[in-house]
Amino acid sequence: MTPEFQVLSVASWLLVITFLQLALYPSLKKCMRQYAFPASFAASLLIFTILTWYCGLARLPVQFGLVPFTLLLAYHIYRHDYAWDELKKEWRWELIFLIFFFLMLTVRFVNPTISYAEKFMDHAFLASVMRNPVVPPLDPWFAGGTMDVYYYLGYWVFGCLGIVSGVPSNIAFNLSLPTVLGVAAVTVYAIGTLLLDRFRWLPLLLFFIPNPSLFYQLITGSSISSALWNSTRTITNTINEYPLFSFTWGDLHAHVISIFNQVLLIFLLIYLYKYWESLESRGRWLICGLAALSLGSMPLINTWDVLIYAPITVIVAAFIILRGWKKGQGISSWGQLIAIPPLSIIIYLPFYLMLKTSTGGIALVRTPSDPFQFLLVNGWFIAIFLLLLVKEIRERPYFLLVAVPFVFAGYIAAAIAAIPLIYFIAKKEHSFPDLLAIFGLAILILVELFYLKDNMGDTYFRMNTVFKCYVPAWIILGISSFAMVGAWFARPGRVPVMPARKSAAFAVLIVGFLFIVPFLVPLDLNYGGRTLDGLAYLDSSHSGDASGVAYLRNLTGDERIVEAVGGDYTYYSRISSFTGIPAILGEPFHEYMWRGDTTSWYSTRPAGVKSIYENPDQTVALMKKYNATLLYVGDVERETYNVSLPSTGLEQVYTGQGTDIYRIAG
């Protein structure tokens, strides 16, 4: 796609996001005051998501999701709620969003390819939503199946943004992570502003710092690229990603998409905790409603998050209620808080009624993390907490005994986390960063003790639990520790106030350097870049597929396709992944993890595909069995099967550069 089209795509995408945000912003001003503008970024995305989701459920065009925002914008214009002088004061929030958006866009520009890791899956889901935005979305890797076996809402929101902005999926794929980072950064800066009078930018460091393991890898001789990867595989047989790696690696995966929603809920809980007594009833309902929407969206975006944030929400609400009870406030003032959990379930109730996935339950970890590996992942936060707790440790050293039971039981990593945890719990007065530290450390300890059973096997039994819990833990601990550091720096006599001009010049230098870094680090992994088209690399590496995919992406209607079946994380499943057209079977192990094998499809579907290509007397009958309308024959199919097609029953609809596409006749 031409550079001009890509520039227009970025502009159209940003225009839609700005429209949604500005339409909602005045509605939040009365109760959220100076935080209404930053909060409206993430909140408007979630509201747009639920509106379009119900449109998909009702089989209505998702463009109808723009109607309430249009009416809201017209209403606020009619009431003169957009004062230019007020909007000018919000420039720093917009600037933060744009800096982080374009910083991540630069990373995607350098490495845009939909080519490795989970990118096939991520684009397959995105393309499926954009091709046929219905609820539940069609599973592009299991013809006849739907995504009611997976949490897909993150792909839904960006697919719908692509639809209403007119941006195709291969470019929307590379605009989605910049949006996640931009919206998350605005919200984290708002959190910093809520918690700090100075150094409000410090919590933003959670997006930039690597874990200590990266430096250990470099010191021990690893290259930059291998060190980055190895730093996320530090704890044996687990994945321990952190935001810098996740955004750089570039998978548009559920655990990354969810970051913008996680920080929104943290922001809303801090705001409620800080301003609950000063809020009017209407304001309480509005903010609690947004908290319910955020919490309720978690099971659909990344289900693991709700296991962490639902208890946190209940605990914060309990703290507010307890504080009000001590002040003699009646139960009527708590109703909105109590309503958050049930509302969070009700708003997406149809999702739970359709959901077909399950978990194997909770089990005890019998091979806990090596303590050195644990510190290589979480060492920064543990070190910051212990340094800030030196006074408390000197005053009450006997609390160190809390580590003894964990040590004797063999859970030394849990013992390490338990030491700062007990001192934060023992504080007489708890700031919100203290509470966040307690939550984050508790996550680390629980993950050392327990795991959720899945079908990853005995070797990787903890992989998903550590993977999905460590990202929220990093976010919570990052906000907590850097807010504490900011408060320490701000104490009288510690760090003098820098003049505004010097501060601005320093910020410009830092931002300028960050924009240069993606061009200095080898991020493209030899796939090429300098484009926002995630499929552009096909022109040089798989020219036959490039033209075949281009033809298929222009088809509309209910189509299903036959393509070669092979291993996961390979070039197989590429046609369904690039087009969103459901194949008889895509990456088999992914589908097995989601669906199990109760109907023996794990063997019958690959065998059926093989027969379609190799047994001409069965080709048409088997295609009809799976309601397949198209048959794709490219280099991968010819390498995998002894292709022999029938002389009748199929009509060739496309041929070019070694690729042939057939349709069932009639």
Side-chain angles (χ1 to χ4, degrees):
M1 294 181 175
T2 65
E4 293 79 10
F5 181 82
Q6 295 179 39
V7 170
L8 288 175
S9 294
V10 174
S12 177
W13 183 275
L14 288 175
L15 183 63
V16 171
I17 291 174
T18 302
F19 163 72
L20 298 174
Q21 185 256 334
L22 286 179
L24 179 64
Y25 153 63
S27 300
L28 304 180
K29 278 199 295 186
K30 186 174 182 180
C31 64
M32 302 196 78
R33 306 159 203 170
Q34 71 268 34
Y35 300 100
F37 199 89
S40 59
F41 280 93
S44 62
L45 276 184
L46 289 184
I47 294 171
F48 172 74
T49 302
I50 193 170
L51 290 172
T52 54
W53 190 84
Y54 273 99
C55 286
L57 185 65
R59 299 301 192 266
L60 296 173
V62 296
Q63 288 86 346
F64 283 10
L66 295 176
V67 173
F69 286 95
T70 304
L71 296 175
L72 195 59
L73 183 70
Y75 171 76
H76 288 307
I77 291 174
Y78 173 76
R79 286 176 50 87
H80 304 288
D81 289 332
Y82 297 103
W84 180 243
D85 289 339
E86 288 185 8
L87 288 173
K88 285 194 297 184
K89 295 177 182 177
E90 311 292 353
W91 66 269
R92 71 184 189 280
W93 304 111
E94 190 69 35
L95 181 62
I96 291 168
F97 169 76
L98 291 175
I99 287 173
F100 279 82
F101 177 89
F102 281 105
L103 179 61
M104 188 63 216
L105 193 69
T106 303
V107 174
R108 299 310 306 139
F109 178 74
V110 172
N111 178 21
T113 57
I114 303 164
S115 50
Y116 57 89
E118 296 287 6
K119 293 177 179 60
F120 272 25
M121 171 190 157
D122 300 330
H123 183 268
F125 283 6
L126 183 71
S128 177
V129 168
M130 294 185 66
R131 193 173 189 282
N132 195 354
V134 296
V135 172
L138 304 181
D139 188 339
W141 287 346
F142 200 89
T146 57
M147 283 190 254
D148 52 6
V149 295
Y150 191 77
Y151 33 89
Y152 56 79
L153 197 67
Y155 306 103
W156 180 271
V157 59
F158 293 116
C160 289
L161 279 177
I163 291 171
V164 301
S165 63
V167 177
S169 63
N170 51 317
I171 293 180
F173 179 88
N174 285 317
L175 299 184
S176 299
L177 282 183
T179 305
V180 171
L181 183 58
V183 173
V186 168
T187 311
V188 169
Y189 187 71
I191 291 171
T193 306
L194 268 173
L195 297 176
L196 299 167
D197 294 324
R198 292 178 59 200
F199 304 104
R200 298 166 177 173
W201 52 269
L202 268 174
L204 288 170
L205 290 181
L206 72 89
F207 297 117
F208 293 105
I209 61 167
N211 62 25
S213 181
L214 177 67
F215 296 100
Y216 177 78
Q217 298 288 334
L218 293 173
I219 291 171
T220 54
S222 297
S223 64
I224 293 177
S225 58
S226 61
L228 192 63
W229 173 264
N230 292 338
S231 69
T232 66
R233 269 66 182 170
T234 299
I235 298 176
T236 304
N237 297 328
T238 71
I239 299 174
N240 39 261
E241 285 193 21
Y242 48 91
L244 176 63
F245 171 85
S246 300
F247 283 110
T248 304
W249 188 246
D251 285 352
L252 183 62
H253 216 45
H255 70 287
V256 188
I257 296 173
S258 70
I259 290 175
F260 88 90
N261 187 35
Q262 291 183 53
V263 295
L264 173 65
L265 184 59
I266 294 171
F267 166 80
L268 293 171
L269 293 177
I270 296 174
Y271 194 88
L272 288 172
Y273 184 83
K274 189 171 183 178
Y275 294 113
W276 180 258
E277 286 79 10
S278 64
L279 290 170
E280 297 179 356
S281 178
R282 183 179 176 183
R284 290 177 178 178
W285 275 115
L286 180 57
I287 299 175
C288 288
L290 290 176
L293 177 59
S294 176
L295 183 63
S297 300
M298 285 183 175
L300 291 80
I301 298 176
N302 187 39
T303 302
W304 293 78
D305 292 345
V306 78
L307 303 178
I308 292 170
Y309 287 98
I312 289 176
T313 302
V314 171
I315 292 170
V316 172
F319 268 99
I320 297 173
I321 291 172
L322 180 61
R323 188 174 66 197
W325 178 74
K326 289 180 179 179
K327 294 180 180 179
Q329 296 175 354
I331 194 171
S332 60
S333 65
W334 310 334
Q336 301 93 333
L337 289 168
I338 296 172
I340 292 176
L343 277 177
S344 69
I345 297 173
I346 292 170
I347 56 178
Y348 274 116
L349 185 60
F351 171 82
Y352 301 106
L353 298 177
M354 292 183 288
L355 188 64
K356 296 179 181 177
T357 190
S358 62
T359 181
I362 300 175
L364 183 67
V365 173
R366 301 193 181 279
T367 53
S369 304
D370 176 275
F372 180 65
Q373 294 176 352
F374 176 82
L375 288 174
L376 284 178
V377 175
N378 303 293
W380 300 138
F381 309 125
I382 301 294
I384 289 172
F385 291 150
L386 291 178
L387 287 172
L388 294 173
L389 288 168
V390 166
K391 180 181 177 182
E392 285 83 354
I393 294 172
R394 286 175 176 171
E395 290 175 352
R396 292 184 281 188
Y398 49 85
F399 277 158
L400 294 172
L401 294 174
V402 72
V404 173
F406 293 104
V407 172
F408 276 113
Y411 297 94
I412 300 176
I416 294 171
I419 292 173
L421 175 63
I422 192 64
Y423 282 99
F424 280 121
I425 292 175
K427 278 190 172 184
K428 293 181 180 179
E429 297 290 335
H430 293 96
S431 65
F432 207 93
D434 293 335
L435 295 180
L436 288 176
I438 292 170
F439 296 146
L441 292 167
I443 293 169
L444 298 183
I445 293 172
L446 288 172
V447 170
E448 285 302 307
L449 302 178
F450 305 101
Y451 71 96
L452 287 180
K453 295 180 180 179
D454 53 29
N455 52 12
M456 292 300 295
D458 294 336
T459 301
Y460 300 101
F461 69 99
R462 291 183 68 205
M463 189 184 77
N464 264 331
T465 301
V466 173
F467 180 22
K468 297 301 173 63
C469 293
Y470 262 40
V471 173
W474 183 281
I475 292 168
I476 293 169
L477 292 171
I479 292 172
S480 170
S481 60
F482 290 126
M484 291 180 187
V485 170
W488 189 88
F489 282 161
R491 291 176 186 174
R494 290 272 163 78
V495 179
V497 177
M498 185 181 293
R501 288 187 178 181
K502 288 186 178 180
S503 179
F506 185 70
V508 169
L509 287 175
I510 293 295
V511 171
F513 174 74
L514 290 175
F515 273 96
I516 295 173
V517 169
F519 295 98
L520 302 178
V521 180
L523 295 176
D524 61 7
L525 301 181
N526 298 319
Y527 279 97
R530 309 305 193 266
T531 178
L532 294 178
D533 181 357
L535 299 180
Y537 77 104
L538 295 179
D539 292 333
S540 57
S541 59
H542 303 281
S543 56
D545 285 340
S547 55
V549 165
Y551 168 80
L552 291 170
R553 283 173 60 87
N554 286 322
L555 296 182
T556 59
D558 183 17
E559 304 279 11
R560 297 182 190 180
I561 197 164
V562 187
E563 65 173 320
V565 177
D568 294 45
Y569 303 107
T570 66
Y571 190 63
Y572 286 96
S573 311
R574 81 279 190 208
I575 304 304
S576 50
S577 298
F578 296 157
T579 65
I581 298 175
I584 292 178
L585 184 61
E587 299 196 3
F589 184 67
H590 277 81
E591 290 291 344
Y592 174 74
M593 286 193 296
W594 304 329
R595 299 178 182 277
D597 191 28
T598 55
T599 60
S600 301
W601 61 264
Y602 195 73
S603 58
T604 57
R605 289 205 174 207
V609 172
K610 180 179 175 67
S611 294
I612 286 172
Y613 282 108
E614 296 187 343
N615 299 319
D617 56 328
Q618 298 181 33
T619 299
V620 174
L622 284 171
M623 287 181 67
K624 289 182 177 179
K625 173 185 175 181
Y626 294 106
N627 294 318
T629 57
L630 299 165
L631 177 66
Y632 191 94
V633 182
D635 292 340
V636 173
E637 285 69 31
R638 294 188 180 93
E639 293 169 1
T640 307
Y641 307 112
N642 295 316
V643 178
S644 177
L645 302 180
S647 57
T648 60
L650 295 176
E651 56 181 354
Q652 191 175 59
V653 294
Y654 173 85
T655 184
Q657 301 191 58
T659 294
D660 300 303
I661 302 174
Y662 301 86
R663 181 183 292 279
I664 288 186

